[in-house]
Amino acid sequence: MAAFTVRPAIPDDGSFLADMVVEAANWRSGGTRPRPTVLADPASRVYVAGWQRPADRGVVALDGDGRPVGAAWYRLFAADAAAHGFVAVGVPELIIGVRPLWRAQGVGRVLMQSLAETARAAGFARLALSVEHGNFAESLYRSEGFVVVGSGSGRDTMVRSLG
Ligand SMILES: CC(C)(COP(=O)(O)OP(=O)(O)OC[C@H]1O[C@@H](n2cnc3c(N)ncnc32)[C@H](O)[C@@H]1OP(=O)(O)O)[C@@H](O)C(=O)NCCC(=O)NCCS
């Protein structure tokens, strides 16, 4: 397994987090939605627009040269500006992506665990996320304690307790 480190996300990470939103939108092998197309879609842009807002928190995985290779972060949404994984006001939604060359080497799981710890320390009781049907990431989420609380439009909404 290649060595990586994890640090908190900072305001300058906005462009990298946008890259990870593009990876998440293209999770199907061969997915080729170009970056500008993905980021012009309000359903995707909402996860990174204006990064880093006061309540936004994230973690970034770095390779041995300090280059970002993956990130997980959360963001709060209002009920009238809900994203795919919205369950309630005050329950932040998690987004995650890892660069293709770095997948299946444990980065995603470490990022999930680190972000859960960050959310717990910030006082949140739950984390939510949205995953499209067929994405193996759902089994990663289940193994990290997320359970499906709703389904629709080809997606599952999942929540984990941080208690
Ligand atoms: C989903 C994603 C973030 C997971 O990160 P990762 O670094 O690849 O995950 P890990 O290496 O920590 O693996 C986590 C688990 O998933 C399994 N896994 C990894 N890649 C897999 C694959 N292609 N198919 C099936 N299972 C896989 C691993 O075996 C591991 O389980 P284990 O610990 O029991 O062995 C990453 O693959 C990714 O960015 N995918 C594309 C974007 C995406 O789908 N984002 C999520 C949108 S909801």
Side-chain angles (χ1 to χ4, degrees), residues 23-24 27 96-98 103-106 108-109 130 135-136 140-141:
E23 295 292 353
W27 66 268
I96 185 168
V98 174
R103 290 182 193 159
Q105 298 177 66
R109 188 180 295 284
S130 174
N135 190 340
F136 86 87
L140 166 63
Y141 302 150

Side-chain angles (χ1 to χ4, degrees), residues 21-48:
V21 168
V22 175
E23 295 292 353
N26 282 313
W27 66 268
R28 283 187 184 82
S29 50
T32 52
R33 288 177 70 201
R35 192 179 199 277
T37 306
V38 172
L39 297 177
D41 179 351
S44 293
R45 196 173 60 230
V46 71
Y47 292 114
V48 284

Side-chain angles (χ1 to χ4, degrees), residues 86-159:
F86 183 85
V87 292
V89 171
V91 180
E93 182 171 341
L94 174 151
I95 307 97
I96 185 168
V98 174
R99 290 254 191 244
L101 281 175
W102 276 83
R103 290 182 193 159
Q105 298 177 66
V107 175
R109 188 180 295 284
V110 167
L111 289 173
M112 298 277 302
Q113 293 173 349
S114 179
L115 192 70
E117 200 46 55
T118 301
R120 190 180 293 120
F124 292 108
R126 292 184 290 167
L127 266 178
L129 60 80
S130 174
V131 59
E132 284 185 85
H133 292 160
N135 190 340
F136 86 87
E138 183 159 339
S139 61
L140 166 63
Y141 302 150
R142 284 182 195 278
S143 70
E144 288 299 323
F146 284 83
V147 296
V148 175
V149 296
S151 259
S153 306
R155 315 182 69 98
D156 284 338
T157 299
M158 305 182 79
V159 172

